Structure formats: structure tokens, C-alpha cells
Amino acid sequence: MWKIYALLTTAMLIWGFNLPLLKYLLTYVGPVTMTTFRILLAGIAVFIILAAFKMLRLPTKKEWKYIIGGAMLNVVLHHYFLNMGLFRTSGTNAGLILGLGPVLTAISVSLIMRNSPSKVQWLGFIIGLIGVSSVVLAGGGLGGLALGDVFVFLSIAAQVLSFLVIAKAAKTLDPRIMTAYMMVVGSAVLFIISLIQEPGEIKAFATVPPLFWLGFAASGIIGTAVGHMLYNYSVGKVGPSKAAIFINFNTMFSLAGSALFLGEIITYRHLIGLVLIIAGVILGSGAAEDLWKKRHARNVEKIDKNIV
């Protein structure tokens, strides 16, 4: 289990620092066009990695349904809204909003499994929303940066739903193989969207500085290919709820990355939002209740021993 936890922490470190890198790349190329080719590069990289380890195989007809569903949620909608959001908001705000992922995952899993969340979990969800609101309102209420914040929220919501699809497909299909196919299918859909939304934007690649290509390669191969392989594999092993708990590390790493690489200033509102989001994660994921039950069980056990 510790191996999976280490993989999840590594994935969050990669994703956290990838966020400010994406923000940098978007200063040169339109969000949809840049995302299309970055995801395509990531998909090719995953196929090469899997081929090197002789893990590739063709999916079955049933597995293709999961791949297409996962591609639309995890690749098309998630990356489309994430990059459109980053184009309109700060890396700091985006990182904090992504911190809602664990709570949304826990709640979604509970509802889909027809297991109503406890009062403590709902409290965690509300606290997490308050934390995000404190950050969004710092950007000027419902105007300005708020549109970008909404896009980022939609991106994490789509990703949360994709984790449920991946977890279900993992019963027969290795999530790493699924990741490769999802990225290629998703990049094809994004390419069509880019032609409609950003016609001619592909020419922007001809004017970017050399440093852009270094960042583009790092983001595509490490940030997207390796990061998603590690996380999706972990989801298949421990389930979406437990894996999602680690997303709060993504929030902290992205905050640090935005401050270090983008020179963004972290205000007291961001810190308050971070604390509230983490508190929401602990309560909303059920971790607090599990710890309380274990502690209560130990206390009962001690009392029984003393009586005996």
C-alpha cells in the first residue's frame, strides 16, 4: 500500500508543478490548440513506454466504451476547461480550486453507489466550498477572474467523473493502457474543437521561443503522460475515493510552483482558502470519521482490558 501512496504523492508533485508550466505555455499558443498537441505528445509517450514494457494490447468492444467515455471526461472536458480557465485566471486560484477534487470524488462515489454521505462529509463539502469562495471573491466577485475559476471547477468535476469510469474499467483493463488510448482519442476530438474555436492558431508554434519547446516536452511527457499513468494506475488499485485524498497535495505543490515560477503572490486569502479546503478534504473524504472510529475502538478495547 505504501508503494501506491508513494506513486500518488509523486503524481501530485508532477501535476502541481505542471500547473504553472501550463500557465507559461498559454502565453504563446491558444489554449485548445496547445492542449491538443500536448495531449497527443503525451499519448504517444505513453504508448512508447507501454511498448517498451510489452504491456500493449487491443481493447475489447466493451472496454472501448470505457475508453471513449474516459477520453471525453478525463481528456477533452477536463483539459479543455482547465486550459480555458488557466487562460483567464491565476495559477494560484486554479491550484486552490483543484483542491476540491477529493471532496467531489468522495461525494460522487457515495451518491453513485447509493450511499448517502454522512453529515460530517456534507460539512466537509460545505467547508471546502467556503474555502474556494474566499479565493474566488478575492478575484473580484462574479466578474473578471471568476469566469476562469468556473472553468477550472468544471475541469475538476469532469475529472472526478472520469475516475469513476477508470475504476470500473480497471476490472479488466490496465488503467495505464486505458490512459494511452484515452489520450489519443481525446486529442483527436480536441483537434477538431481547435479548428473551430481557434482557426489558424497552429501557426503560433512557429514563433515560440526555444524555452517553450522545453516546457512543452516536459508538460506533455512528464506532467501529462507520466502523471496520468501513475494516478490512473493508483485509482485502479485503491479506488477513486482513497486516491483522490492525495489531490490536496496537488493544491500545495501548485501553490508553491505558482509562487516560484510565475512570481505570483500568495495572500492571506489564499492561505485561508487552503486551510479550509484541506479541512474539507479531511472531513468530506471520511478520513476524520475513520480516525475517530479507530480511536473509539481502541479506547473501548482498553476499558475492556481494565475491567478484565
Side-chain angles (χ1 to χ4, degrees):
M1 189 62 70
W2 285 106
K3 179 183 176 182
I4 300 298
Y5 290 161
L7 290 178
L8 284 166
T9 303
T10 302
M12 292 307 103
L13 176 64
I14 291 172
W15 281 359
F17 281 91
N18 188 47
L19 199 64
L21 182 55
L22 287 177
K23 182 72 176 175
Y24 163 76
L25 296 176
L26 289 172
T27 60
Y28 294 99
V29 181
V32 185
T33 303
M34 193 275 293
T35 302
T36 297
F37 290 96
R38 183 174 60 82
I39 298 298
L40 177 60
L41 172 62
I44 294 172
V46 175
F47 269 112
I48 293 174
I49 293 171
L50 293 177
F53 287 96
K54 298 180 180 179
M55 294 174 59
L56 279 178
R57 72 170 176 85
L58 289 173
T60 64
K61 290 183 179 179
K62 183 178 180 181
E63 289 169 344
W64 270 113
K65 295 179 181 178
Y66 292 123
I67 289 172
I68 294 173
M72 294 304 297
L73 291 168
N74 192 276
V75 179
V76 179
L77 293 179
H78 170 63
H79 287 282
Y80 175 83
F81 283 119
L82 177 60
N83 285 273
M84 290 296 289
L86 283 172
F87 194 67
R88 292 168 171 80
T89 190
S90 66
T92 303
N93 276 29
L96 284 167
I97 295 169
L98 291 175
L100 270 181
V103 178
L104 291 177
T105 302
I107 299 298
S108 298
V109 170
S110 297
L111 290 175
I112 290 174
M113 294 177 69
R114 296 179 182 178
N115 225 350
S116 181
S118 66
K119 293 180 180 179
V120 174
Q121 285 181 302
W122 281 117
L123 176 62
F125 183 61
I126 293 171
I127 290 175
L129 283 177
I130 293 173
V132 172
S133 298
S134 70
V135 177
V136 174
L137 292 175
L142 298 178
L145 295 179
L147 180 59
D149 296 334
V150 170
F151 284 155
V152 175
F153 178 82
L154 290 175
S155 78
I156 192 63
Q159 189 180 47
V160 164
L161 292 175
S162 76
F163 294 155
L164 304 181
V165 176
I166 293 169
K168 195 167 184 179
K171 295 176 182 178
T172 61
L173 180 63
D174 189 312
R176 291 166 292 188
I177 298 176
M178 185 177 181
T179 299
Y181 284 103
M182 284 195 310
M183 286 181 173
V184 173
V185 171
S187 63
V189 176
L190 284 170
F191 180 68
I192 295 173
I193 296 174
S194 70
L195 293 178
I196 298 171
Q197 186 170 327
E198 299 171 350
E201 184 63 21
I202 193 172
K203 296 178 182 178
F205 283 109
T207 62
V208 299
L211 186 62
F212 173 91
W213 292 112
L214 179 62
F216 182 81
S219 178
I221 297 173
I222 300 175
T224 304
V226 176
H228 279 74
M229 280 183 68
L230 293 177
Y231 191 84
N232 292 344
Y233 172 77
S234 301
V235 168
K237 291 294 183 181
V238 301
S241 292
K242 288 185 178 180
I245 294 172
F246 285 80
I247 292 180
N248 62 61
F249 285 127
N250 182 9
T251 302
M252 289 184 282
F253 289 136
S254 63
L255 276 174
S258 296
L260 287 172
F261 302 121
L262 299 178
E264 295 183 2
I265 299 174
I266 298 177
T267 68
Y268 76 93
R269 279 184 177 270
H270 292 123
L271 295 176
I272 291 174
L274 177 60
V275 171
L276 290 174
I277 287 171
I278 292 176
V281 167
I282 295 173
L283 295 172
S285 64
E289 289 178 292
D290 289 340
L291 289 173
W292 184 85
K293 289 178 181 177
K294 289 180 182 178
R295 185 175 179 180
H296 180 70
R298 285 196 298 266
N299 289 337
V300 171
E301 188 178 345
K302 287 180 181 178
I303 293 173
D304 291 341
K305 286 182 179 179
N306 291 334
I307 293 175
V308 174

